Amino acid sequence: MSYSSIALFLLTLALWLSIFIVHYKSRISEWYQNRFGAIPPSALPDDSLPEISLPFRYDPPPRDKEEDQKAPESQEDKTS
């Protein structure tokens, strides 16, 4: 591989990188400021977690009547 081929490869690589950077300049700068910005995250008041209500409510599924009838019998068998 000759030096001219290597130089041509590096030139095309630099050209493609510059096109990429110019095209996505705003997105790259937003990402960089978000990732490495000088603004520290805000501290929580009194070093405690805030109370956040969940957007849903979890209720356990209703139990079947058959399971209710089987449960006491199995407990009685274990005790005797």
Side-chain angles (χ1 to χ4, degrees):
M1 197 171 191
S2 65
Y3 289 116
S4 61
S5 297
I6 294 172
L8 184 61
F9 172 75
L10 292 176
L11 180 65
T12 56
L13 182 65
L15 180 65
W16 278 107
L17 284 175
S18 64
I19 291 171
F20 178 80
I21 289 172
V22 167
H23 183 68
Y24 294 108
K25 180 181 177 184
S26 62
R27 290 185 184 176
I28 292 171
S29 63
E30 288 175 13
W31 170 81
Y32 187 81
Q33 290 173 359
N34 187 24
R35 179 71 171 98
F36 301 107
I39 302 170
S42 60
L44 295 174
D46 300 331
D47 296 329
S48 63
L49 295 175
E51 291 291 326
I52 299 174
S53 61
L54 297 176
F56 59 88
R57 181 177 175 158
Y58 176 76
D59 293 327
R63 296 180 62 181
D64 293 336
K65 291 182 180 180
E66 295 174 3
E67 291 179 9
D68 291 339
Q69 293 172 356
K70 291 179 183 178
E73 293 173 5
S74 62
Q75 290 176 358
E76 290 175 6
D77 293 338
K78 291 179 182 178
T79 56
S80 53

